[in-house]
Amino acid sequence: MTNAYDVIIIGAGMVGATIACGLAPSQLKVAIVDPVAPPDFVAGEQPHIRVSALSYASEQILRNVGAWKFLEQTRICPYRHLAVNELPAKDGIAAVLPDISTWARTRFSASDIGQEHLGHIAENDLIQHSLHQAMAEHGNIDIQCPQRVASMDLDGPSKQVTLEDGSVLSAPLIIGADGARSQVRAEASIGQYKEQYEQHAFVATVTYSGSAQDITWQSFTEHGPLAFLPLAGKVNGGPDDSRDRHYGSLVWYDYAGSIDKLSGLSTTELRKVIQAAYPATLPPLVEVHQTARFPLFKSHANQYVKPGIALVGDAAHTINPLAGQGVNLGLMDAAVLVETISKALVSGSDHFSIELLRSYEKKRRIANASMMSIMDAFYYGFENKHLPVRVARNLGLGLAQRLGFAKNKVMKYATGVSGDLPRLAKPA
Ligand SMILES: Cc1cc2nc3c(=O)[nH]c(=O)nc-3n(C[C@H](O)[C@H](O)[C@H](O)COP(=O)(O)OP(=O)(O)OC[C@H]3O[C@@H](n4cnc5c(N)ncnc54)[C@H](O)[C@@H]3O)c2cc1C
């Protein structure tokens, strides 16, 4: 027997689950499928390794779809400042230049743009956990997790998805929110442009001593950036523990060979190596807990839509995580697609017409491509070791700091405080 729905979402990650919650008030009958069971939240547990810097706009989206109230009860860390600088070169002619890395630093503060915070650092698993709790509040969302897709038939006006338990789902609209290796994208024969970067990212969950930090920073070095993100919660050493220790997440971008070396170190050795390599702004490290490495690539689907099919999030595009924008772009795809569909329903139109889906693609492709270009400008701009380029970018950082009005305008746009935003990305 075939179960008929209005929309089938493949992938219940952060982006897919946001779309399901966003569509729920429209009373569409939605099925969402993912082979992985939703992650649990265990209070007092060490933070999970994958974290995201959620922008102000992403926070509004998660609030408006009803997930933020659950996320707040888990672990999230607001950040109020953001800093970028370049560390002095260790060798070559650039090493004899005076160290102006403190002058040549751009620092943004939430108070400069009249905000309480610039964003929050949250664990990906907990964002997903909160969205699953929000989905469970809606009777018109059929959550098929864990359930594996056995096959898809995307030809014709009624799309069919057969699950491994033998059940068959059908709908006029199928949304591919199934990540960078999207099965929907492949089944729909949508090609993509893909390019691997030379650098890899090495991520570590650490504890540091001292007061809780409310700043995220990134220091550019000759091998790539070193970044620090504060995480929520004091380290729980029991009722008699009076030590001031907190969790943080570090990212070290470097060439594969160097990351191999870091991966081979014991956590004790790694702590020393990180402390020595990172700028003095890194608080004293107490322990390195968990590490992971990720190859970095960017990709962009040749089309986001086909008749009855739409791609969102990493299924449509992946971006250099340099400025932590991946999930923010995906959540904005979700907000725009939900708004496009909701408006069509209000005006009595079909929620799956190709004209409608194309209007979603038009809005998001330009925005996503622009962010990819900005990240590449940063990546390749800071990779350049030539002395004049180095001097110019240090001057640029120093001047950016001193151009208050322009800097604040850029910041408002980047955090999603201003700009042409869909309804879900605005404060309710
Ligand atoms: C090192 C690193 C650091 C990053 N840091 C940040 C950051 O700070 N901020 C930020 O915004 N972004 C960051 N990103 C990017 C961010 O993690 C991704 O953009 C985000 O996870 C994309 O969300 P998604 O829901 O589109 O895809 P995913 O998170 O990949 O979720 C896809 C879902 O689909 C499911 N799925 C897969 N295949 C199938 C199938 N065949 N059928 C059904 N379901 C399927 C999966 O189980 C999963 O639940 C980072 C990425 C990397 C590599």
Side-chain angles (χ1 to χ4, degrees):
M1 199 187 91
T2 301
N3 300 307
Y5 297 87
D6 296 308
V7 181
I8 301 171
I9 303 171
I10 303 295
M14 296 181 277
V15 176
T18 298
I19 295 179
C21 293
L23 289 179
S26 67
Q27 299 307 321
L28 289 176
K29 198 175 164 205
V30 177
I32 182 161
V33 185
D34 200 298
V36 182
D40 279 337
F41 165 62
V42 180
E45 204 186 27
Q46 211 180 78
H48 300 184
I49 187 86
R50 292 290 304 266
V51 302
S52 293
L54 293 174
S55 67
Y56 179 79
S58 292
E59 173 189 336
Q60 305 317 313
I61 294 171
L62 293 173
R63 277 187 192 281
N64 287 324
V65 301
W68 192 262
K69 61 180 189 274
F70 297 114
L71 187 58
E72 275 180 319
Q73 290 163 24
T74 63
R75 291 181 290 263
I76 48 170
C77 182
Y79 62 94
R80 297 184 174 83
H81 313 281
L82 188 157
V84 181
N85 75 341
E86 178 172 12
L87 293 183
K90 293 212 168 97
D91 47 37
I93 185 154
V96 300
L97 283 178
D99 177 6
I100 57 163
S101 56
T102 315
W103 179 85
R105 183 172 81 146
T106 301
R107 185 183 161 116
F108 301 99
S109 288
S111 57
D112 297 341
I113 55 170
Q115 294 290 314
E116 280 245 321
H117 52 261
L118 294 173
H120 288 83
I121 312 295
E123 294 155 52
N124 291 4
D125 283 349
L126 299 185
I127 301 171
Q128 213 182 333
H129 166 82
S130 310
L131 282 160
H132 272 264
Q133 284 183 292
M135 285 198 293
E137 290 189 323
H138 299 284
N140 54 334
I141 305 180
D142 180 10
I143 307 170
Q144 298 273 352
C145 313
Q147 252 312 342
R148 201 167 280 280
V149 172
S151 64
M152 289 181 202
D153 181 356
L154 303 184
D155 295 333
S158 175
K159 315 293 172 200
Q160 295 219 332
V161 176
T162 305
L163 304 181
E164 264 189 3
D165 69 357
S167 49
V168 180
L169 322 180
S170 75
L173 175 61
I174 187 154
I175 297 176
D178 48 348
R181 294 197 190 123
S182 171
Q183 186 180 356
V184 175
R185 191 184 62 232
E187 297 276 353
S189 303
I190 297 178
Q192 63 168 343
Y193 161 82
K194 187 170 174 185
E195 185 185 328
Q196 172 138 13
Y197 293 101
E198 274 189 275
Q199 268 128 343
H200 291 225
F202 181 77
V203 183
T205 307
V206 299
T207 45
Y208 61 89
S209 63
S211 56
Q213 301 282 305
D214 63 355
I215 181 168
T216 75
W217 50 253
Q218 196 153 79
S219 289
F220 285 85
T221 74
E222 288 164 302
H223 56 76
L226 300 172
F228 168 80
L229 307 170
L231 296 179
K234 206 173 157 193
V235 177
N236 187 359
D240 301 326
D241 187 4
S242 59
R243 293 165 306 173
D244 214 4
R245 292 179 174 184
H246 298 87
Y247 287 109
S249 176
L250 303 179
V251 194
W252 178 320
Y253 295 84
D254 213 324
Y255 298 98
S258 307
I259 299 282
D260 288 345
K261 284 187 196 146
L262 289 176
S263 306
L265 296 176
S266 69
T267 51
T268 313
E269 289 168 319
L270 191 56
R271 185 185 66 75
K272 289 187 197 147
V273 169
I274 291 175
Q275 195 83 63
Y278 268 63
T281 34
L282 183 70
L285 292 186
V286 180
E287 204 175 338
V288 175
H289 299 282
Q290 207 190 343
T291 63
R293 61 184 293 174
F294 302 92
L296 301 179
F297 57 90
K298 68 173 171 188
S299 61
H300 211 168
N302 298 340
Q303 289 154 273
Y304 289 8
V305 302
K306 273 192 162 180
I309 301 166
L311 301 178
V312 286
D314 275 21
H317 47 78
T318 59
I319 181 171
N320 192 324
L322 200 60
Q325 285 302 320
V327 80
N328 292 313
L329 295 182
L331 291 177
M332 200 60 89
D333 291 350
V336 169
L337 185 57
V338 167
E339 181 168 271
T340 309
I341 291 176
S342 306
K343 277 186 180 164
L345 291 171
V346 169
S347 68
S349 315
D350 286 337
H351 65 281
F352 49 83
S353 77
I354 188 65
E355 293 75 25
L356 189 84
L357 299 180
R358 283 200 186 114
S359 74
Y360 149 73
E361 165 159 16
K362 196 171 166 207
K363 284 189 189 137
R364 291 309 300 154
R365 178 177 281 285
I366 296 170
N368 292 329
S370 310
M371 187 58 82
M372 283 169 135
S373 306
I374 293 171
M375 287 310 109
D376 270 358
F378 258 94
Y379 178 80
Y380 292 113
F382 276 92
E383 202 194 23
N384 196 316
K385 296 183 180 67
H386 292 301
L387 190 60
V389 179
R390 203 185 159 88
V391 171
R393 69 186 171 225
N394 271 280
L395 284 173
L397 283 173
L399 286 174
Q401 173 62 16
R402 283 147 188 87
L403 291 173
F405 173 71
K407 187 185 81 167
N408 293 345
K409 235 179 152 179
V410 169
M411 201 59 210
K412 275 188 177 169
Y413 183 77
T415 52
V417 172
S418 68
D420 181 18
L421 298 168
R423 187 185 55 79
L424 279 184
K426 293 179 187 165

Short mmCIF file of all heavy atoms in Angstrom, two decimals, residues 118-159:
data_model
loop_
_atom_site.label_atom_id
_atom_site.label_comp_id
_atom_site.label_asym_id
_atom_site.label_seq_id
_atom_site.Cartn_x
_atom_site.Cartn_y
_atom_site.Cartn_z
N LEU A 118 26.19 38.20 19.16
CA LEU A 118 26.32 38.09 17.70
C LEU A 118 25.79 36.75 17.21
O LEU A 118 25.40 36.60 16.06
CB LEU A 118 27.79 38.21 17.30
CG LEU A 118 28.44 39.58 17.55
CD1 LEU A 118 29.94 39.51 17.28
CD2 LEU A 118 27.79 40.64 16.67
N GLY A 119 25.80 35.76 18.09
CA GLY A 119 25.32 34.42 17.72
C GLY A 119 25.55 33.46 18.87
O GLY A 119 25.86 33.89 19.99
N HIS A 120 25.39 32.18 18.59
CA HIS A 120 25.58 31.16 19.62
C HIS A 120 26.39 30.01 19.04
O HIS A 120 26.24 29.66 17.87
CB HIS A 120 24.24 30.56 20.07
CG HIS A 120 23.43 31.49 20.90
ND1 HIS A 120 22.62 32.45 20.36
CD2 HIS A 120 23.29 31.59 22.25
CE1 HIS A 120 22.03 33.12 21.34
NE2 HIS A 120 22.41 32.62 22.49
N ILE A 121 27.21 29.38 19.88
CA ILE A 121 27.85 28.13 19.48
C ILE A 121 27.02 26.99 20.05
O ILE A 121 26.73 26.98 21.26
CB ILE A 121 29.30 28.02 20.01
CG1 ILE A 121 30.10 29.31 19.76
CG2 ILE A 121 30.00 26.80 19.39
CD1 ILE A 121 30.35 29.65 18.33
N ALA A 122 26.63 26.07 19.18
CA ALA A 122 25.79 24.95 19.63
C ALA A 122 26.30 23.66 19.00
O ALA A 122 26.87 23.68 17.90
CB ALA A 122 24.34 25.19 19.22
N GLU A 123 26.09 22.56 19.71
CA GLU A 123 26.48 21.26 19.16
C GLU A 123 25.46 20.85 18.08
O GLU A 123 24.25 20.95 18.32
CB GLU A 123 26.52 20.21 20.27
CG GLU A 123 27.61 20.49 21.28
CD GLU A 123 27.32 19.88 22.64
OE1 GLU A 123 27.02 18.68 22.72
OE2 GLU A 123 27.37 20.62 23.64
N ASN A 124 25.98 20.37 16.94
CA ASN A 124 25.07 19.97 15.84
C ASN A 124 24.04 18.96 16.32
O ASN A 124 22.86 19.05 15.98
CB ASN A 124 25.86 19.36 14.68
CG ASN A 124 26.71 20.39 13.97
OD1 ASN A 124 26.79 21.55 14.38
ND2 ASN A 124 27.36 19.97 12.89
N ASP A 125 24.49 17.99 17.13
CA ASP A 125 23.56 16.94 17.60
C ASP A 125 22.42 17.53 18.42
O ASP A 125 21.30 17.03 18.39
CB ASP A 125 24.32 15.92 18.47
CG ASP A 125 25.14 14.96 17.62
OD1 ASP A 125 24.96 14.96 16.39
OD2 ASP A 125 25.95 14.21 18.20
N LEU A 126 22.74 18.57 19.19
CA LEU A 126 21.70 19.15 20.05
C LEU A 126 20.73 20.02 19.26
O LEU A 126 19.55 20.11 19.60
CB LEU A 126 22.33 19.91 21.22
CG LEU A 126 23.20 19.04 22.14
CD1 LEU A 126 23.71 19.82 23.34
CD2 LEU A 126 22.43 17.79 22.61
N ILE A 127 21.23 20.64 18.20
CA ILE A 127 20.32 21.40 17.31
C ILE A 127 19.33 20.41 16.70
O ILE A 127 18.12 20.62 16.68
CB ILE A 127 21.11 22.14 16.20
CG1 ILE A 127 22.12 23.11 16.82
CG2 ILE A 127 20.15 22.87 15.26
CD1 ILE A 127 23.09 23.73 15.81
N GLN A 128 19.89 19.27 16.25
CA GLN A 128 19.04 18.25 15.62
C GLN A 128 18.06 17.65 16.65
O GLN A 128 16.88 17.47 16.35
CB GLN A 128 19.95 17.15 15.07
CG GLN A 128 19.41 16.50 13.82
CD GLN A 128 20.33 15.39 13.35
OE1 GLN A 128 21.54 15.43 13.61
NE2 GLN A 128 19.78 14.42 12.67
N HIS A 129 18.56 17.39 17.86
CA HIS A 129 17.73 16.85 18.95
C HIS A 129 16.54 17.78 19.20
O HIS A 129 15.39 17.34 19.33
CB HIS A 129 18.62 16.71 20.19
CG HIS A 129 17.89 16.48 21.46
ND1 HIS A 129 17.45 15.23 21.85
CD2 HIS A 129 17.51 17.34 22.44
CE1 HIS A 129 16.84 15.34 23.03
NE2 HIS A 129 16.86 16.60 23.40
N SER A 130 16.81 19.09 19.27
CA SER A 130 15.76 20.08 19.56
C SER A 130 14.74 20.13 18.43
O SER A 130 13.53 20.25 18.68
CB SER A 130 16.37 21.47 19.75
OG SER A 130 17.43 21.40 20.64
N LEU A 131 15.24 20.04 17.20
CA LEU A 131 14.31 20.06 16.05
C LEU A 131 13.42 18.82 16.05
O LEU A 131 12.24 18.89 15.70
CB LEU A 131 15.11 20.16 14.75
CG LEU A 131 15.63 21.57 14.42
CD1 LEU A 131 16.79 21.51 13.43
CD2 LEU A 131 14.50 22.44 13.86
N HIS A 132 13.97 17.69 16.46
CA HIS A 132 13.15 16.47 16.52
C HIS A 132 12.07 16.61 17.58
O HIS A 132 10.94 16.16 17.39
CB HIS A 132 14.02 15.24 16.78
CG HIS A 132 14.54 14.65 15.50
ND1 HIS A 132 13.92 13.58 14.85
CD2 HIS A 132 15.58 15.00 14.73
CE1 HIS A 132 14.58 13.31 13.74
NE2 HIS A 132 15.60 14.14 13.64
N GLN A 133 12.42 17.28 18.70
CA GLN A 133 11.39 17.51 19.72
C GLN A 133 10.29 18.42 19.16
O GLN A 133 9.11 18.21 19.41
CB GLN A 133 12.01 18.14 20.96
CG GLN A 133 12.77 17.13 21.79
CD GLN A 133 13.31 17.78 23.05
OE1 GLN A 133 14.19 18.62 22.98
NE2 GLN A 133 12.75 17.41 24.19
N ALA A 134 10.70 19.44 18.41
CA ALA A 134 9.73 20.36 17.81
C ALA A 134 8.85 19.62 16.79
O ALA A 134 7.63 19.83 16.75
CB ALA A 134 10.45 21.53 17.17
N MET A 135 9.48 18.74 15.98
CA MET A 135 8.68 18.00 14.97
C MET A 135 7.63 17.14 15.64
O MET A 135 6.51 17.01 15.14
CB MET A 135 9.60 17.11 14.11
CG MET A 135 10.43 17.86 13.10
SD MET A 135 11.08 16.78 11.79
CE MET A 135 12.24 15.76 12.67
N ALA A 136 8.01 16.55 16.79
CA ALA A 136 7.11 15.62 17.48
C ALA A 136 5.84 16.32 17.99
O ALA A 136 4.85 15.67 18.31
CB ALA A 136 7.84 14.96 18.64
N GLU A 137 5.85 17.65 18.01
CA GLU A 137 4.67 18.40 18.48
C GLU A 137 3.60 18.53 17.40
O GLU A 137 2.52 19.04 17.67
CB GLU A 137 5.09 19.81 18.93
CG GLU A 137 5.92 19.81 20.21
CD GLU A 137 6.14 21.22 20.75
OE1 GLU A 137 6.32 22.14 19.95
OE2 GLU A 137 6.12 21.35 21.99
N HIS A 138 3.95 18.12 16.16
CA HIS A 138 3.00 18.30 15.05
C HIS A 138 2.46 16.97 14.56
O HIS A 138 3.23 16.11 14.12
CB HIS A 138 3.69 19.02 13.89
CG HIS A 138 4.19 20.38 14.25
ND1 HIS A 138 3.35 21.47 14.38
CD2 HIS A 138 5.43 20.84 14.53
CE1 HIS A 138 4.06 22.53 14.71
NE2 HIS A 138 5.33 22.17 14.81
N GLY A 139 1.13 16.84 14.59
CA GLY A 139 0.49 15.60 14.14
C GLY A 139 0.62 15.37 12.65
O GLY A 139 0.47 14.23 12.18
N ASN A 140 0.88 16.43 11.86
CA ASN A 140 0.95 16.25 10.40
C ASN A 140 2.37 15.98 9.89
O ASN A 140 2.61 16.01 8.70
CB ASN A 140 0.34 17.47 9.67
CG ASN A 140 0.95 18.79 10.09
OD1 ASN A 140 1.45 18.92 11.21
ND2 ASN A 140 0.92 19.77 9.20
N ILE A 141 3.31 15.72 10.83
CA ILE A 141 4.66 15.30 10.38
C ILE A 141 4.84 13.83 10.75
O ILE A 141 4.77 13.46 11.93
CB ILE A 141 5.79 16.13 11.05
CG1 ILE A 141 5.57 17.63 10.82
CG2 ILE A 141 7.15 15.70 10.53
CD1 ILE A 141 6.65 18.51 11.46
N ASP A 142 5.08 13.01 9.74
CA ASP A 142 5.33 11.59 9.97
C ASP A 142 6.85 11.38 9.99
O ASP A 142 7.51 11.47 8.95
CB ASP A 142 4.67 10.79 8.82
CG ASP A 142 4.89 9.30 8.98
OD1 ASP A 142 5.37 8.87 10.05
OD2 ASP A 142 4.58 8.55 8.02
N ILE A 143 7.39 11.14 11.19
CA ILE A 143 8.86 11.05 11.34
C ILE A 143 9.29 9.59 11.14
O ILE A 143 9.01 8.74 11.97
CB ILE A 143 9.30 11.56 12.73
CG1 ILE A 143 8.73 12.96 12.98
CG2 ILE A 143 10.83 11.57 12.85
CD1 ILE A 143 8.92 13.46 14.41
N GLN A 144 9.96 9.35 10.06
CA GLN A 144 10.43 7.99 9.74
C GLN A 144 11.94 7.93 10.01
O GLN A 144 12.75 7.93 9.09
CB GLN A 144 10.14 7.68 8.26
CG GLN A 144 8.67 7.68 7.89
CD GLN A 144 8.01 6.33 8.14
OE1 GLN A 144 8.67 5.34 8.45
NE2 GLN A 144 6.69 6.29 8.02
N CYS A 145 12.32 7.90 11.28
CA CYS A 145 13.74 7.85 11.66
C CYS A 145 13.89 6.90 12.85
O CYS A 145 13.22 7.14 13.85
CB CYS A 145 14.25 9.20 12.12
SG CYS A 145 13.85 10.59 11.07
N PRO A 146 14.73 5.91 12.81
CA PRO A 146 15.60 5.57 11.69
C PRO A 146 14.89 4.69 10.66
O PRO A 146 14.24 3.71 11.03
CB PRO A 146 16.72 4.78 12.37
CG PRO A 146 16.09 4.18 13.60
CD PRO A 146 14.97 5.07 13.99
N GLN A 147 15.01 5.06 9.43
CA GLN A 147 14.44 4.31 8.30
C GLN A 147 15.31 4.56 7.07
O GLN A 147 15.58 5.72 6.75
CB GLN A 147 13.06 4.86 7.99
CG GLN A 147 11.85 4.06 8.34
CD GLN A 147 11.78 2.62 7.95
OE1 GLN A 147 12.53 2.14 7.10
NE2 GLN A 147 10.85 1.94 8.58
N ARG A 148 15.72 3.52 6.43
CA ARG A 148 16.60 3.67 5.27
C ARG A 148 15.77 3.67 3.98
O ARG A 148 14.78 2.94 3.89
CB ARG A 148 17.58 2.50 5.26
CG ARG A 148 18.84 2.73 4.47
CD ARG A 148 19.86 1.65 4.77
NE ARG A 148 20.55 1.89 6.02
CZ ARG A 148 21.56 2.75 6.16
NH1 ARG A 148 22.00 3.43 5.12
NH2 ARG A 148 22.14 2.92 7.33
N VAL A 149 16.16 4.52 3.04
CA VAL A 149 15.49 4.53 1.73
C VAL A 149 16.03 3.36 0.92
O VAL A 149 17.25 3.23 0.75
CB VAL A 149 15.76 5.86 0.99
CG1 VAL A 149 15.24 5.82 -0.44
CG2 VAL A 149 15.16 7.04 1.75
N ALA A 150 15.13 2.50 0.40
CA ALA A 150 15.58 1.38 -0.44
C ALA A 150 15.68 1.82 -1.89
O ALA A 150 16.65 1.48 -2.58
CB ALA A 150 14.61 0.20 -0.30
N SER A 151 14.71 2.60 -2.35
CA SER A 151 14.76 3.09 -3.73
C SER A 151 13.86 4.31 -3.88
O SER A 151 13.00 4.57 -3.03
CB SER A 151 14.30 1.99 -4.70
OG SER A 151 12.94 1.66 -4.45
N MET A 152 14.11 5.04 -4.96
CA MET A 152 13.29 6.23 -5.26
C MET A 152 12.88 6.18 -6.72
O MET A 152 13.68 5.78 -7.56
CB MET A 152 14.10 7.52 -5.11
CG MET A 152 14.45 7.90 -3.72
SD MET A 152 15.38 9.46 -3.79
CE MET A 152 16.20 9.34 -2.22
N ASP A 153 11.68 6.63 -7.01
CA ASP A 153 11.26 6.82 -8.40
C ASP A 153 10.85 8.28 -8.53
O ASP A 153 9.79 8.68 -8.04
CB ASP A 153 10.10 5.87 -8.72
CG ASP A 153 9.65 6.03 -10.17
OD1 ASP A 153 10.20 6.92 -10.86
OD2 ASP A 153 8.74 5.28 -10.60
N LEU A 154 11.74 9.06 -9.14
CA LEU A 154 11.49 10.50 -9.20
C LEU A 154 10.94 10.95 -10.55
O LEU A 154 10.79 12.14 -10.80
CB LEU A 154 12.79 11.27 -8.88
CG LEU A 154 13.43 10.94 -7.53
CD1 LEU A 154 14.64 11.84 -7.26
CD2 LEU A 154 12.43 11.09 -6.39
N ASP A 155 10.65 9.98 -11.46
CA ASP A 155 10.05 10.34 -12.75
C ASP A 155 8.56 10.55 -12.54
O ASP A 155 7.97 9.96 -11.66
CB ASP A 155 10.27 9.21 -13.78
CG ASP A 155 11.75 9.03 -14.08
OD1 ASP A 155 12.48 10.02 -13.94
OD2 ASP A 155 12.15 7.89 -14.40
N GLY A 156 7.97 11.33 -13.38
CA GLY A 156 6.52 11.51 -13.32
C GLY A 156 6.11 12.46 -12.21
O GLY A 156 6.91 12.85 -11.36
N PRO A 157 4.81 12.87 -12.24
CA PRO A 157 4.36 13.88 -11.28
C PRO A 157 4.27 13.39 -9.84
O PRO A 157 4.39 14.18 -8.91
CB PRO A 157 2.97 14.26 -11.81
CG PRO A 157 2.56 13.16 -12.72
CD PRO A 157 3.80 12.47 -13.21
N SER A 158 4.08 12.07 -9.62
CA SER A 158 4.02 11.55 -8.25
C SER A 158 5.34 10.86 -7.93
O SER A 158 5.68 9.83 -8.52
CB SER A 158 2.84 10.59 -8.10
OG SER A 158 2.88 10.02 -6.82
N LYS A 159 6.11 11.45 -7.00
CA LYS A 159 7.41 10.86 -6.65
C LYS A 159 7.19 9.74 -5.64
O LYS A 159 6.37 9.88 -4.72
CB LYS A 159 8.33 11.93 -6.01
CG LYS A 159 8.33 13.27 -6.73
CD LYS A 159 8.95 13.18 -8.09
CE LYS A 159 8.77 14.47 -8.87
NZ LYS A 159 8.92 14.31 -10.31
#
